[in-house]
Every structure is written in C-alpha cells, then in structure tokens.
Amino acid sequence: MSGYVDLDLNNLPDPGTNQYCRYRGLPVNCGPRGLKGARDYLYHNNRNGTFTEVSAKAGVDDKPGYYGMGCVWSDLDNDGLIDLYVANDSTPNYLYHNNGNGTFTDIAFDMGAAVNEDGREQASMGVDAGDYDGDGYFDLFTTNFVDDYSTLYHNDAGKGFSDVSNPAGVAAPGWNFLKWGTGFVDFDNDGRPDIFVANGHIYPEIEGKGFGQTFGQRNQLFENTGNGLFVEVREDTLEKIAKVSRGAAFADLDGDGRVDIVVNNLDDRPTVLLNKSTGGNWIELKLVGHTANKDAIGARATIVAGDKKQVAEVRAGHSYLSQSDLKLHFGLGNAKSIDSIEIRWPGGGIQKMSGVPANQVLKIEEQGTRPR
C-alpha cells in the first residue's frame, strides 16, 4: 500500500506564505511538496486469516518519504519473481526488484525507470505494466500531472528501461491533461495492447483563466498501430464526455468478447464505456488456483496464436485506485484458435495446453502441486 502525505491537521500549511499552495499564481489546495510524505506498507499473508506488516523488513517502507500513488506488481525481468513498481507524485518512482528471499532492492535509477529521459522526476499518478510490442517483457506506463507527458518505459529485455514516450506518440497528446487511471488493454482484439487514460484536473480554480485547461476533461484512448507506435483515437463518445475522472477499471461487462471500461468520476456517477469496436477474435482465461491462491494472483499466461506471442499476468490492483477483472483477455486478430497456452502458476508450476478454439472464456484450474 503506497502512502501519500502524513498530514498534521493541527499544523496545516499557510496558504498565504507556502509556495506550494499556488498554481500559476492562483491560490489552490496545498501539496504535495511542502508536506511530509507518508510511508508505504507491505502486509505478509500468514495463511491463517491474519497479516504481518513487513515493509521495513522487506525494504519497501519508503524511507525517503516520497508521495506514493499508484503501484503495480509484475515480473519485470522474467526471473519468475514478482517485482513492484511504485508511481510517486513529484518524486522519483520506485522499482523494487524481488530478491527471492522476502526482501526487495530499489533499482529504479539503475534501470532507468525512476525519472524521465531528461533525468527529471515527474508527478506520477496511475501505472500499468504490459507487453505492448510483443517481445515477452512487460513495459511500464505512468500517467503524470498537467504540463507534462505520461511516460512509456520500454523494457529492454530485463536489462533496463528506456523512455520512449515521444517517439511512441503518447507524449504530446496528453500534455494539457491531468492524467490518472490507465491500462494496457487490447480494445480492438488485434493482438496489440492499446492504452487508455482517465483525465481530470484537481484545481477548479483554473476554469476560464486562459490556461488552455479545464477542471472536467475528456478521457483518451491510444491505439497501438504496431512498430512501437500509438495514435490517439478521437472517438465521438470520448470527445463528448468531460468529467473529473480518476480511476479506470477494465472488464468485458456484456460478454461480447470486447473489453469495456468503467471510469470513476469525482463527485459524479461513474462513466461506463461499452466497447462497440469491430475487431478480431479473442479469448479470455479464467485461472483458478488450488495450491496457489484461489484467484491465481501472480500467475502468468503465455499464448501463441498465428504469428503472435502474447503474455499477461493476473494482478490485484494497478491503474489508479482500481481493480479490473481478473480474467486475462487476449485479442487474436484473424486467428481462430490458439496454438499453445502456457500457465506459470505462483510458486513456479507450469501447465500447458494446445489447439484451443477462439472466442470463449476458458476456465483453467491449477493441476499438480507447488514446488517446494
């Protein structure tokens, strides 16, 4: 659990003198800079209905006191161990490498994932991990504050990360938006994960001040066109809805094989976006653990269909303050069947199958025992 600010209600900042209580000269709510950051927490599941707080022991308690926002668990170096990436507001991000002994080491600066390509910390909000270019390694995407770009970190085969936001086409279109929930999702079922971003300002005071910004903002969808490139989809429904959005969660709500979106809006009803795109074939995997946890959190699926190899993980939480469907969705393009499926269960057990028809929700139950 990432902590944001350790606010002392009896010692609040003075808006009249604190420089962090102004935005472009306007008096606004204060922070996070100028306030004390809150620590992060990791709770170990004791498997008896209780938990033990182990963040300091594990090395993820955030001793510098950064302003934690979104986080995502993902095996980022393909070593079979789940790592942790934390998006921090106005401070460098954390990349905690799983040492395999209950401890983690922050390697974000060494791996190029702490700051952007200019060496500048950003005000990160939401985050997701996904293999957008099909190389078998999970890349990272963080959403950031207004007057800045969201950052696409390409995973360089587990050896480091490169900020490819500008050449990939995701930087400039989001500059005037304040960006929150996000996800790598294949919305058109072509086998290439696209990117969705939920937007909404935090300062209602900016309305009508000539900044080119509004409090309510439209959300954005970026289509993955292949070869490492994304293009913003200027779709009519997205253009017409301008709300103060925060969280974004993803699921096939109507069972038609296309992933839909639920967006949480500040002081407003949620926005439900039903996917009506025309696309290719698909499959969803519902993984059920037995020796592993029942929801199969941490399991990794690799599928091969036609000329595409895709990977996905079952995750508890990512985006921003959101939980998406635990089923793993894969777009298949023109492929009518899946040549092979490989499941790596938490703990390392491997399960394989082949010749699976497309366009179905396939339930896969864990077999065998967990390696000791």
Side-chain angles (χ1 to χ4, degrees):
M1 179 178 69
S2 58
Y4 191 55
V5 294
D6 188 4
L7 187 64
D8 182 359
L9 295 177
N10 296 316
N11 187 27
L12 297 174
D14 182 356
T17 60
N18 192 311
Q19 62 175 317
Y20 300 116
C21 300
R22 305 188 74 83
Y23 175 72
R24 292 193 172 190
L26 297 175
V28 296
N29 58 283
C30 306
R33 287 194 174 107
L35 299 173
K36 182 181 178 181
R39 59 169 294 188
D40 298 337
Y41 293 88
L42 175 64
Y43 293 93
H44 179 263
N45 189 332
N46 301 320
R47 298 196 173 195
N48 61 3
T50 67
F51 293 80
T52 300
E53 202 281 297
V54 297
S55 54
K57 179 181 178 181
V60 297
D61 55 334
D62 180 26
K63 284 183 173 62
Y66 291 164
Y67 310 111
M69 297 293 268
C71 60
V72 62
W73 293 87
S74 179
D75 181 2
L76 296 172
D77 53 3
N78 290 357
D79 65 353
L81 301 171
I82 303 298
D83 309 300
L84 172 62
Y85 189 80
V86 182
N88 292 312
D89 185 359
S90 305
T91 47
N93 297 326
Y94 288 128
L95 172 54
Y96 292 110
H97 177 259
N98 189 331
N99 300 321
N101 59 1
T103 68
F104 296 79
T105 301
D106 177 27
I107 58 172
F109 274 104
D110 293 340
M111 297 293 282
V115 293
N116 70 2
E117 64 178 350
D118 299 323
R120 177 174 55 83
E121 59 198 30
Q122 296 177 282
S124 297
M125 308 296 179
V127 62
D128 195 16
D131 180 17
Y132 75 88
D133 57 351
D135 65 357
Y137 286 86
F138 289 110
D139 312 291
L140 294 165
F141 185 77
T142 63
T143 55
N144 299 313
F145 203 74
V146 69
D147 295 326
D148 200 355
Y149 63 86
S150 291
T151 312
L152 179 61
Y153 292 103
H154 179 263
N155 189 332
D156 302 327
K159 299 176 181 178
F161 288 85
S162 300
D163 178 356
V164 297
S165 313
N166 280 291
V170 298
W175 189 267
N176 286 329
F177 296 90
L178 209 164
K179 304 162 285 288
W180 300 86
T182 189
F184 284 104
V185 180
D186 185 358
F187 291 104
D188 53 1
N189 287 338
D190 64 355
R192 297 189 293 260
D194 311 299
I195 297 175
F196 177 82
V197 178
N199 298 315
H201 219 290
I202 61 172
Y203 303 136
E205 296 89 347
I206 54 93
E207 289 280 1
K209 297 299 190 298
F211 298 155
Q213 300 170 14
T214 56
F215 188 45
Q217 299 178 340
R218 63 178 175 84
N219 298 318
Q220 293 177 289
L221 176 62
F222 296 90
E223 181 185 1
N224 185 342
T225 62
N227 299 317
L229 300 176
F230 291 83
V231 175
E232 184 181 4
V233 178
R234 301 299 296 266
E235 199 267 342
D236 286 346
T237 300
L238 292 178
E239 295 282 330
K240 294 175 181 178
I241 300 175
K243 295 181 179 291
V244 187
S245 298
R246 293 293 187 261
F250 309 93
D252 180 5
L253 299 175
D254 52 0
D256 65 355
R258 296 173 288 191
V259 178
D260 309 300
I261 311 170
V262 179
V263 181
N264 185 39
N265 300 307
L266 187 65
D267 297 328
D268 201 346
R269 293 177 296 178
T271 300
V272 179
L273 298 169
L274 288 179
N275 187 342
K276 297 300 182 183
S277 64
T278 56
N281 299 302
W282 57 276
I283 192 167
E284 285 195 341
L285 305 183
K286 170 62 176 176
L287 305 187
V288 180
H290 291 300
T291 58
N293 64 88
K294 184 175 181 180
D295 289 324
I297 304 298
R300 177 189 181 109
T302 303
I303 75 164
V304 176
D307 61 349
K308 284 189 172 64
K309 183 177 181 179
Q310 301 181 59
V311 295
E313 293 171 328
V314 182
R315 299 186 182 126
H318 60 94
S319 185
Y320 176 77
L321 297 179
S322 303
Q323 174 61 56
S324 296
D325 189 359
L326 294 176
K327 292 194 294 292
L328 300 179
H329 182 96
F330 296 93
L332 303 176
N334 294 325
K336 296 181 180 179
S337 66
I338 298 87
D339 301 318
S340 67
I341 298 175
E342 178 180 293
I343 308 299
R344 189 186 71 197
W345 298 96
I350 302 295
Q351 194 169 333
K352 299 180 180 180
M353 57 185 63
S354 60
V356 177
N359 302 321
Q360 64 167 315
V361 177
L362 178 64
K363 182 179 179 181
I364 303 176
E365 299 200 30
E366 182 183 15
Q367 298 176 353
T369 59
R370 178 184 293 180
R372 298 292 180 180

